Amino acid sequence: MRTQVAIIGAGPAGLFLSHLLHLQGVDSVVVERRDRAYCEQRQRAGVVEHGVAEALRASGVGERMDREGFAHDGIELRFDRRSHRIDFPALTGRNVMIYAQTEIVKDLIARRLADGGRLLFEAEAGAIEGTETERPRVRFTHAGAEEVLECDYVAACDGFHGIGRAAMPGGAARTFEKVYPFGWLGILADVAPSCDELIYAHSDRGFALHSMRSETVSRLYLQVPADTDPRNWSDERIWDELAARFELRDSDWELKRGPITDKAVTPMRSFVTEPMRHGRLFLAGDAAHIVPPTGAKGLNLALHDVALLADALTAWHGKGDTSLLDEYSATALRRVWRAEHFSYWMTTLLHTRPDGDAFDRRLQLAHLHHIADFTAATTTLAENYTGLPRV
Ligand code: RFL
Ligand code: PHB
């Protein structure tokens, strides 16, 4: 089998890259180890930055997002049992879309298939070869057979546990990592959201986040120790803990409860690999970097990466110009490190450290008050959250 760009992984990065390349007349094949249903149901992100939503619309896959997603003009920071709203349009002229990653993946798969795209599910890549030559190859297994995909370039969009990063020769890449001593217990529940906008709550009991998927489905998260087994958390215990962390003084606001349909613990880490390219192998999305979910940046960064990569591959295809490919890693990493800093900052601002003391919590509260009370500080949060146009 032969193509111009071999793409490993049908997550948001691989699918959007394949779609953008198709629009520019560049041929690609996507190999994905899981089946289609698995890719479409994996519960993950929910916040789409302003510029990323624009990019989805501009490429013709924003229609259902605009119909079924929610435009949110702000978030609530809840601390010291009081509520503080951050107004995005007033501070930045931008907002965000609440539209689940599962839906973006469904939209992209449907569009690729309608456009005749070659998307191979249950096709696991086992090796990437010849990345320092002009004819790299991806070996994969599909329907029990060993196959070889010959190409001009390989885009590893295969997530944190993929083979792309490991295919960089020893010494060619440097990694940077921070693992946090806590994780998130995330739930999906069949109950109307108890709020119109997301609530990021700091409390003495730990962090909690209230998000949503639709008018009848809520998505909520609790900070828990990293080694937590979700089976030790009964539904009642989860709702009681969420209610305690979201509690407000002087208000009759109440958390609505309903049947929990999904429960999982996500570990939290920050991770970057540099550079994001070796020869004709390019890394994009979670294959190259991980952020803790507090800043809602993972999905957005993945889509930014592949938008850059698609422009670079288009310039190579159309004019034989490889200068954008040569600049890809450095350009992508500037935004990556900005998002790494923002996500780390939001995480340390809002979570309780197991080794933290009362002094640390007073500092967090002083910082949170500063963000709520001073326009320059509020604007910094709003600009980063809605997405910086240029980094
Ligand atoms: P993905 O989505 O992991 O897709 C990689 C794909 O590659 C496939 N694969 C292979 N295929 C073939 N052969 C192999 N050898 C392969 N190895 C792997 C995998 O099966 C998979 O289909 O990576 P991508 O495309 O880079 O997308 C990244 C995003 O998924 C991720 O950054 C976000 O979900 C992170 N994230 C959030 N990001 C946000 O922007 N906003 C959020 O609100 C947000 N919340 C979250 C999140 C991630 C979470 N979890 C569970 C990690 C909340 C959670 C709970
Ligand atoms: C989500 O809706 O899953 C979500 C929202 C905001 C975050 C992380 C996850 O910061």
Side-chain angles (χ1 to χ4, degrees), residues 8-15 31-34 38-39 42-48 101 105 123-126 140 157-164 184 186 200 209 213 219 221 265-267 284-287 289-291 293 295-303 385:
I8 308 175
L15 291 166
V31 293
E32 164 59 50
R33 60 136 76 109
R34 302 286 193 166
Y38 184 93
C39 293
R42 191 167 29 197
Q43 277 306 318
R44 288 195 167 172
V47 179
V48 184
Q101 179 169 326
V105 165
E124 175 152 9
F140 66 99
C157 304
D158 51 353
F160 187 63
H161 302 287
I163 64 164
W184 280 11
Y200 288 80
L209 169 62
R213 288 291 175 264
R219 176 88 170 138
Y221 298 94
V265 172
T266 311
D286 279 15
H289 41 73
I290 295 288
V291 285
K297 289 286 165 244
L299 163 69
N300 292 296
L301 270 186
L303 297 181
Y385 195 91

Side-chain angles (χ1 to χ4, degrees), residues 159-286:
F160 187 63
H161 302 287
I163 64 164
R165 204 172 57 250
M168 310 264 273
R174 182 165 176 206
T175 59
F176 304 82
E177 183 168 32
K178 197 163 281 297
V179 176
Y180 300 86
F182 40 75
W184 280 11
L185 170 62
I187 62 157
L188 265 187
D190 281 336
V191 61
S194 306
C195 45
D196 296 328
E197 294 174 342
L198 272 58
I199 306 173
Y200 288 80
H202 173 277
S203 87
D204 287 348
R205 306 175 69 97
F207 170 73
L209 169 62
H210 194 322
S211 181
M212 57 204 68
R213 288 291 175 264
S214 71
E215 271 151 30
T216 54
V217 177
S218 296
R219 176 88 170 138
L220 297 107
Y221 298 94
L222 277 176
Q223 175 191 348
V224 290
D227 57 0
T228 297
D229 181 344
R231 285 172 301 189
N232 294 336
W233 281 78
S234 68
D235 293 9
E236 194 185 3
R237 182 177 174 205
I238 292 175
W239 286 118
D240 287 347
E241 188 60 29
L242 284 166
R245 295 189 193 182
F246 284 120
E247 191 182 51
L248 284 174
R249 66 180 86 210
D250 315 326
S251 162
D252 52 9
W253 182 88
E254 216 175 306
L255 182 68
K256 295 190 195 105
R257 302 176 182 217
I260 294 176
T261 57
D262 190 271
K263 205 187 279 188
V265 172
T266 311
M268 309 257 281
R269 77 170 79 231
S270 300
F271 176 92
V272 180
T273 194
E274 291 183 358
M276 289 166 59
R277 171 208 189 156
H278 180 77
R280 290 194 169 224
L281 167 67
F282 290 82
L283 305 181
D286 279 15

